Amino acid sequence: MRFTIERIRTLVLAAGLLLVVVLAAFLAIGKWKRPFNRRDLPKRLGIDIQQEAKGVTYTQSHGGHTIFKIHASKVVQLKNDEATLHDVRIELYGQNSNIVDRIQGDEFEYDQKTGIATAAGPVEITLMRPTASPRPAGSGKAKAKMRAEPSPNREIQVKTSGLVFNEQTGIASTAQRVDFSSAEGSGTAMGATYNSDQGLLILDRAVELTTRQGTNPVELHARHAEFDRNTEVGHLRGATAETHGKQASAAAALIDFRADGTIERLDASGGVTVSTAAGSHLAAPRGTMLFNGENQPRSGRFEGGVTMASVNDSRQLNGTSPVMTLEFNSAGELRHAHLERGVEMEETGTEGPREQENKPVRFAAAGENPEIPVRITRTWRSPVADVDFRQAASGRVEPVQVHGKEGVVLTGETRRGSQPPVPSRLAADEITGLFGPQSTLTLLTGIGHSSMEETAANGARQTATGDRLQARFVPVNPAQGPEAPRVANSAAAWPAGASAPQAQIQSAELEGHVTLFQQPAAKPGAKLEPPLRATAGRAIYESAGQWLHLTIHPRVEDGGMELTAGKVDVSQASGDAFAHGDVKATWIEALASGDTTATGSASPVTMGGKGPVHAIAAEAELHQPTGKTTFNGHARLWQQENSISAPIIVIFRQSGTLTANTTNPSEPVIAVMLNAGAEPAGSVKKPAGHTTVPSVVWVRGGNLWYSDAERKAIMRAYPLPAVTAQADGVESTSAQVELYLAPSGVAKQTAGAASAQVERINALGHVVLTSQDRRGAGEKLAYTSSTGTYILTGTPSSPPRLTDPQRGTVTGAALIFNSRDDSVSIEGGGHETTTETTMPRRGRD
């Protein structure tokens, strides 16, 4: 963009200087022709002629002021009404009678019949460029009053030959070369025509001018040039300006001059182009530039479809905008650009491997091979875009801020080697970008319907929306300049026209009605995993690890689970989610059957029943690819009356299993399950309206495993000394307890939902049974809820034993205890049974 403005300014200044120079020359010729207009030069030479040793001098005065003087060393009057003047010098004076312009030639011939005067040889013209007197107060847009003062710095030297003046038509012309020079530069043209009556100057062809802009030479070429003195408007055709490896051209240009010769307005049409040796290019069908009194650009407008392109190292920038307007400061430095009616900018670049020391390199992300080339494409689209600029080092112009509105979309695409492209997208109603040194994008803010979409390398897709978006980008090391190492994968691009280092989003923040959608990557031969959905008041994205942090009442839905917490962290790369603080989770619908392959809104673990499943914990971790959910810190999982509490509870969605663990004996794993026990035989019928409170099975241990498909739970002791179980008033301790749930069709209805019921319990290893004052020991204790009986067995070398304070101690192959009638039966198993009954000791007499 900066090349565009400098080149347009160069074109205008050079064209203005050229026209001023040539115009002044022919204006002087116009002044010179007036004394001969419709008059007989030889006759006039006979009036007021003073014979001098050096020749003849003719003076024209008016109102006491000298208008011009003609000096000739010799005048020859020919018989054919022609006169020849030798060694001619013409001096034209200003209003203060100071010499302003001079014309010198070896010989001039005048034909009285045709009214044509011809310079037979070369002509040298010295002109003083006019300056404008200050305008009177209240003069408004009136033309400034012109005056000319002799000064070597203001002189313009013109040389030509074959000059012909026709006093009948008022036209002076030459078909020969015209050379001119001044303190600002020099130039040439082939053929020139000046109509003094119409005030029209025409430079026929091959117009060239060499001048300087600062320390850089500027060359202007034009196929044809015209200037109207009356309207002070100049026309150029096929104009081109070149300087310092940069070029600007226009098929046609119309220049409006002020009275002091400075340029007021430039209108270019038929195609305007600006290009640089570095690869920058701008083109438009037509454009307009306005200038201040110092010939500095004030504003500009390009229409008809503006195109911009820039190539720098391995990056290419292309942009289009139907309309572009520019604003400059008083020094002619670009400060603002306005693009409208559909703005599109696209940047494409390739990074790595590090083939050359001076080539830009890229930081590889974790797991990436830095030697694989990465191709990155970024696109900006918006109906309207505004860019503010600042002056940088070495006379460069760089963007400060870009603002798009009425719906801005930034898209990006990253391709590593031959891998499929990875797209990204950022959008909002309005987007503002701030730039740092070397035109690096540092901050991006979106307001209204803000959204971010990114796709991970593994195919996982993530979309986040909110009311307001703010993204910060990885800074470039200023000491290393614009070619410093940088990171790719940014979705941002900018319509500034400047080739800037590629930026990566360092962090981004969404606020207000935030929603998140994350679809796991598809796996070959596997069912598509359900997406993760989330809502929150705020979402913060960090590129390090590609984490999205949800705060302000976050809520997550994953595979039918709804989760709330104080904060939720979601990983884009893995699909994992971590919930922190007051975690609450609910599976709305539990499976009626043990089908753990279903997805949707079903719970992965039903705890054997029907209805919602709930969980609470201090923290939770959702590993989306495997369907593993971990609850940490005072975790509790329940469905109706059945519940599990532990420091850690892990749910495996794919297998339909869960585990509960502890590492601290003071925080055991506790399972509470509804007992499927039946009413005792011959029991008294309950009166109408009587509600039976269901009994429960209570188990405490160190490690719990449960399977929905097997309807089985196993509790192990470690790190506790033993597993403790309670059911029907009986408590047991053992190394392990197995719980078997009744079939899914057998469930106790509670509050409109069905709770799973424990059908059988097996306590294994070093079993100790206690019931009131009764105590038993063995290796296995089997409980059947339908009968309320416990069967205690041991080993051949260590048979089970049951001690009762009233009945003493009994042993056998199996001891059967009925918890409902408090009876004990002994089975020998085909072997001789020994029974010992020890009565309680009585006190001494």
Side-chain angles (χ1 to χ4, degrees):
M1 185 69 68
R2 56 179 178 271
F3 294 142
T4 299
I5 305 310
E6 292 174 358
R7 300 294 68 72
I8 292 174
R9 176 185 174 189
T10 299
L11 170 64
V12 173
L13 292 179
L17 177 59
L18 172 64
L19 291 176
V20 169
V21 168
V22 182
L23 170 64
F26 281 94
L27 284 177
I29 296 173
K31 294 179 183 179
W32 170 63
K33 68 96 182 178
R34 285 191 176 90
F36 304 96
N37 192 18
R38 299 175 181 85
R39 289 172 174 83
D40 184 349
L41 177 61
K43 293 181 179 179
R44 291 294 303 274
L45 291 176
I47 303 175
D48 296 331
I49 293 179
Q50 299 177 8
Q51 189 69 35
E52 297 181 359
K54 294 183 180 181
V56 178
T57 299
Y58 170 74
T59 302
Q60 175 74 37
S61 301
H62 178 76
H65 295 283
T66 301
I67 299 176
F68 66 85
K69 288 182 180 181
I70 298 177
H71 302 269
S73 63
K74 182 179 180 181
V75 177
V76 179
Q77 176 70 51
L78 304 178
K79 294 182 180 180
N80 54 359
D81 295 327
E82 292 183 358
T84 301
L85 284 73
H86 296 276
D87 298 329
V88 179
R89 183 179 66 190
I90 304 174
E91 298 175 350
L92 298 99
Y93 291 81
Q95 293 181 355
N96 58 359
S97 298
N98 290 331
I99 297 177
V100 177
D101 302 324
R102 294 186 303 273
I103 302 174
Q104 291 179 297
D106 293 336
E107 184 175 303
F108 283 84
E109 296 180 355
Y110 175 71
D111 189 327
Q112 183 177 356
K113 293 181 179 180
T114 61
I116 295 177
T118 303
V123 177
E124 295 184 2
I125 307 171
T126 302
L127 308 175
M128 292 295 173
R129 286 179 300 171
T131 58
S133 299
R135 295 178 181 177
S139 61
K141 295 184 178 180
K143 294 290 185 179
K145 184 177 180 180
M146 300 301 300
R147 59 186 178 86
E149 297 291 344
S151 171
N153 293 331
R154 302 192 59 79
E155 289 186 352
I156 300 173
Q157 304 294 329
V158 181
K159 295 181 180 181
T160 187
S161 61
L163 184 65
V164 178
F165 174 71
N166 190 323
E167 72 170 350
Q168 303 298 326
T169 62
I171 296 176
S173 63
T174 180
Q176 303 301 314
R177 173 187 175 108
V178 179
D179 295 276
F180 45 87
S181 63
S182 68
E184 289 81 7
S186 60
T188 64
M190 291 301 295
T193 301
Y194 177 69
N195 189 319
S196 60
D197 290 338
Q198 298 179 2
L200 179 63
L201 166 68
I202 299 175
L203 300 179
D204 292 338
R205 63 194 185 278
V207 182
E208 297 183 2
L209 173 67
T210 300
T211 183
R212 304 191 71 83
Q213 184 183 34
T215 60
N216 299 321
V218 179
E219 293 185 1
L220 174 74
H221 305 270
R223 190 173 65 253
H224 183 83
E226 298 182 5
F227 179 78
D228 190 327
R229 185 186 62 186
N230 297 323
T231 61
E232 296 184 349
V233 174
H235 298 263
L236 293 175
R237 290 204 298 266
T240 301
E242 297 181 4
T243 178
H244 204 55
K246 305 152 193 175
Q247 185 180 81
S249 63
L254 187 149
I255 306 175
D256 188 358
F257 291 90
R258 297 182 181 89
D260 61 356
T262 59
I263 302 168
E264 186 171 16
R265 179 187 177 102
L266 166 66
D267 290 292
S269 60
V272 182
T273 62
V274 180
S275 59
T276 71
S280 299
H281 181 83
L282 179 142
R286 57 187 180 275
T288 299
M289 295 288 295
L290 301 180
F291 296 83
N292 61 21
E294 302 297 327
N295 278 335
Q296 299 288 1
R298 185 163 50 90
S299 63
R301 181 179 178 87
F302 296 87
E303 297 178 321
V306 183
T307 61
M308 293 162 280
S310 176
V311 178
N312 186 6
D313 294 328
S314 59
R315 301 193 306 278
Q316 181 172 350
L317 175 69
N318 296 286
T320 61
S321 175
V323 178
M324 178 175 69
T325 59
L326 308 172
E327 296 179 6
F328 304 81
N329 63 10
S330 59
E333 298 169 342
L334 178 63
R335 285 298 174 261
H336 184 78
H338 176 77
L339 301 90
E340 61 182 35
R341 303 180 190 176
V343 183
E344 180 171 330
M345 302 293 295
E346 180 180 88
E347 183 183 24
T348 302
T350 302
E351 298 186 349
R354 307 176 186 181
E355 298 175 344
Q356 301 179 15
E357 289 295 331
N358 61 344
K359 285 295 183 72
V361 296
R362 173 180 179 269
F363 293 139
E368 290 186 356
N369 184 353
E371 299 304 318
I372 298 178
V374 179
R375 182 174 177 82
I376 303 163
T377 301
R378 305 181 183 88
T379 303
W380 166 297
R381 293 184 179 91
S382 65
V384 178
D386 289 275
V387 188
D388 293 327
F389 295 89
R390 63 170 166 251
Q391 203 68 18
S394 303
R396 295 185 300 107
V397 174
E398 61 183 19
V400 177
Q401 174 179 290
V402 57
H403 177 73
K405 59 183 180 180
E406 300 179 16
V408 185
V409 177
L410 287 80
T411 59
E413 184 179 273
T414 304
R415 182 190 295 269
R416 301 193 71 254
S418 59
Q419 297 180 5
V422 178
S424 59
R425 184 178 186 271
L426 188 150
D429 293 343
E430 295 187 18
I431 289 182
T432 301
L434 300 181
F435 294 86
Q438 290 91 46
S439 301
T440 54
L441 188 63
T442 59
L443 180 66
L444 204 66
T445 302
I447 299 175
H449 301 93
S450 303
S451 65
M452 293 191 303
E453 296 181 14
E454 288 197 301
T455 302
N458 62 359
R461 183 168 57 90
Q462 179 174 285
T463 302
T465 64
D467 297 335
R468 184 177 183 273
L469 166 68
Q470 187 176 81
R472 297 185 181 276
F473 293 83
V474 177
V476 173
N477 187 350
Q480 299 183 22
E483 297 302 333
R486 53 186 177 267
V487 188
N489 299 330
S490 168
W494 49 93
S499 182
Q502 297 173 354
Q504 177 189 351
I505 294 179
Q506 185 180 54
S507 63
E509 182 174 337
L510 277 168
E511 287 186 338
H513 305 92
V514 176
T515 63
L516 173 70
F517 176 89
Q518 183 165 285
Q519 178 65 60
K523 298 179 180 179
K527 291 183 178 180
L528 185 65
E529 291 290 331
L532 181 146
R533 293 180 173 87
T535 60
R538 177 183 297 135
I540 300 176
Y541 171 79
E542 293 180 358
S543 62
Q546 295 181 314
W547 286 101
L548 186 67
H549 308 288
L550 304 176
T551 59
I552 307 178
H553 311 300
R555 177 181 293 270
V556 177
E557 297 180 14
D558 182 26
M561 181 192 69
E562 294 184 1
L563 180 145
T564 62
K567 177 183 177 182
V568 177
D569 301 327
V570 181
S571 170
Q572 179 201 7
S574 65
D576 295 347
F578 296 84
H580 310 275
D582 194 22
V583 177
K584 299 177 182 179
T586 299
W587 287 266
I588 301 300
E589 294 290 339
L591 292 171
S593 63
D595 182 11
T596 61
T597 63
T599 58
S601 61
S603 167
V605 178
T606 64
M607 297 187 67
K610 299 179 181 179
V613 177
H614 309 277
I616 59 174
E619 296 183 339
E621 176 183 347
L622 287 70
H623 189 56
Q624 197 173 36
T626 62
K628 175 183 174 182
T629 303
T630 303
F631 295 93
N632 294 287
H634 307 290
R636 181 170 180 263
L637 183 75
W638 74 94
Q639 182 184 41
Q640 302 301 323
E641 285 82 2
N642 298 338
S643 67
I644 299 171
S645 60
I648 301 175
I649 298 177
V650 183
I651 298 174
F652 301 90
R653 184 172 59 202
Q654 295 180 356
S655 62
T657 61
L658 70 80
T659 61
N661 304 278
T662 185
T663 58
N664 186 355
S666 63
E667 297 182 273
V669 179
I670 297 176
V672 179
M673 307 290 289
L674 194 64
N675 195 342
E679 297 291 343
S683 61
V684 179
K685 185 177 181 180
K686 300 295 185 299
H690 177 77
T691 302
T692 302
V693 178
S695 63
V696 296
V697 174
W698 183 89
V699 183
R700 181 182 64 187
N703 179 282
L704 175 69
W705 173 88
Y706 169 76
S707 170
D708 252 345
E710 298 183 34
R711 302 185 69 79
K712 176 182 177 180
I714 300 176
M715 179 77 82
R716 295 180 175 86
Y718 185 82
L720 276 68
V723 177
T724 302
Q726 295 178 357
D728 277 347
V730 176
E731 179 177 302
S732 67
T733 61
S734 60
Q736 178 176 305
V737 169
E738 298 174 346
L739 304 175
Y740 295 89
L741 304 184
S744 58
V746 180
K748 188 178 293 294
Q749 294 293 329
T750 305
S755 298
Q757 305 167 34
V758 176
E759 186 178 55
R760 293 182 296 119
I761 302 176
N762 288 334
L764 306 173
H766 308 291
V767 178
V768 175
L769 177 149
T770 58
S771 176
Q772 297 180 2
D773 294 335
R774 189 178 292 116
R775 177 182 176 86
E779 287 300 316
K780 178 179 179 181
L781 177 66
Y783 168 75
T784 303
S785 63
S786 60
T787 60
T789 59
Y790 289 87
I791 301 177
L792 181 63
T793 59
T795 63
S797 60
S798 180
R801 300 172 63 86
L802 183 64
T803 302
D804 188 305
Q806 296 181 356
R807 299 183 179 90
T809 300
V810 297
T811 184
L815 303 179
I816 303 173
F817 171 69
N818 192 318
S819 61
R820 294 177 181 171
D821 59 8
D822 203 30
S823 63
V824 178
S825 35
I826 305 170
E827 292 185 357
H831 301 281
E832 182 178 355
T833 300
T834 302
T835 303
E836 294 183 6
T837 302
T838 303
M839 299 299 294
R841 293 183 179 181
R842 297 180 180 179
R844 295 181 179 180
D845 295 338

